[in-house]
Amino acid sequence: MKQNIAVITGASEGIGAALTRLLIQQHNWKVIGLSRNLEKLKFLQNSLSQKRDCLKIYACDVQDFAKLELIAKKNNPADFLFLNAGIYNPIDARKNNIEDYKQHMHINYLGAVNSYEAFLPKMIAKKKGHIIIMSSISGWIGLPKAAAYGPTKAALRSFAQSIRYDLISEGIKVQVCSPGFVETPATSKNNFYMPGLMKVDDAAKIIYKQMDSNKFEFSFPLTFSIFMKIFSILPDRLSSFIIKKFVC
Ligand SMILES: NC(=O)c1ccc[n+]([C@@H]2O[C@H](COP(=O)([O-])OP(=O)(O)OC[C@H]3O[C@@H](n4cnc5c(N)ncnc54)[C@H](OP(=O)(O)O)[C@@H]3O)[C@@H](O)[C@H]2O)c1
């Protein structure tokens, strides 16, 4: 039986690692997993025991377009591209954060664009494929401390909204995933209450389920994401008042 091939950026831990495990262990996929830290990728690979050969790993920074192109060239076309690699650092906007602003844009936004550009040509040649771009609820509305992170997620959402029109005719489906809080190394640095905080394996299961849906954008956990969607379209005077009163 033909095995589907996924390319997952940011596969070494968190949501990327959970989806990698799910695809390989439960759904018989092959995964090409990329991230900077080879040791973490090897650890993930070893944890798959008999199925370890289903995960091909590459130490690769998504800022390195030449390396991404090389990996794409060496491998068969991906059926599924999960543009997930990302960083998150809370920001105090009163301080000088120029390096943080640049780093978030270079990794979260341009890193996804680099990966997209590298793996897209073979999907186009095959006239078939599926891309999910990891945005976030932080891309819907500016939140405190998210001045470096939030704009990258808003940009990714806009990118996904735009590319899908050109890719329809190429047989390539585009979706955007905008989660709330998921328990991963990234959120472990948050020292505030995270409403609806979800287990990473549950998040991976939802992503897998939504891969089959026709929704362009999906979000979870459900209650928190519905609340935030409504919140994001409130008049600014009201939403900023609530944020100042209850979050800041
Ligand atoms: N967790 C949440 O609550 C949440 C909510 C909304 C959206 N998201 C988004 O979901 C994605 C995954 O988040 P997560 O919580 O799973 O984060 P995480 O646990 O910190 O994992 C991030 C992954 O990205 C990789 N990565 C970071 N910089 C990279 C780079 N320059 N090149 C290649 N790989 C890189 C990391 O591996 P290396 O360190 O080995 O490179 C790691 O595998 C992110 O885009 C995040 O913004 C997360």
Side-chain angles (χ1 to χ4, degrees), residues 167-214:
L167 298 190
I168 291 169
S169 58
E170 304 299 330
I172 299 169
K173 170 171 157 182
V174 178
Q175 290 179 293
V176 61
C177 174
S178 300
F181 294 110
V182 182
E183 216 175 288
T184 67
T187 46
S188 66
K189 61 182 91 153
N190 287 344
N191 56 6
F192 53 83
Y193 170 67
M194 291 177 270
L197 183 67
M198 184 175 253
K199 294 272 176 220
V200 72
D201 288 332
D202 293 336
K205 280 183 201 150
I206 293 175
I207 294 168
Y208 182 75
K209 196 170 166 207
Q210 290 295 340
M211 283 168 68
D212 268 342
S213 83
N214 289 324

Side-chain angles (χ1 to χ4, degrees), residues 137 140 219 221-232:
I137 276 174
W140 294 350
S219 187
L222 190 65
T223 314
F224 182 60
S225 58
I226 291 172
F227 172 81
M228 287 305 292
K229 182 53 86 178
I230 295 167
F231 191 74
S232 69

Side-chain angles (χ1 to χ4, degrees), residues 10 12 15 35-37 61-62 84 135 149 153 180 182 184-185 187:
S12 65
I15 297 168
S35 86
R36 295 164 302 184
N37 189 318
D61 190 318
V62 289
N84 165 74
S135 180
Y149 178 76
K153 295 297 169 181
V182 182
T184 67
T187 46

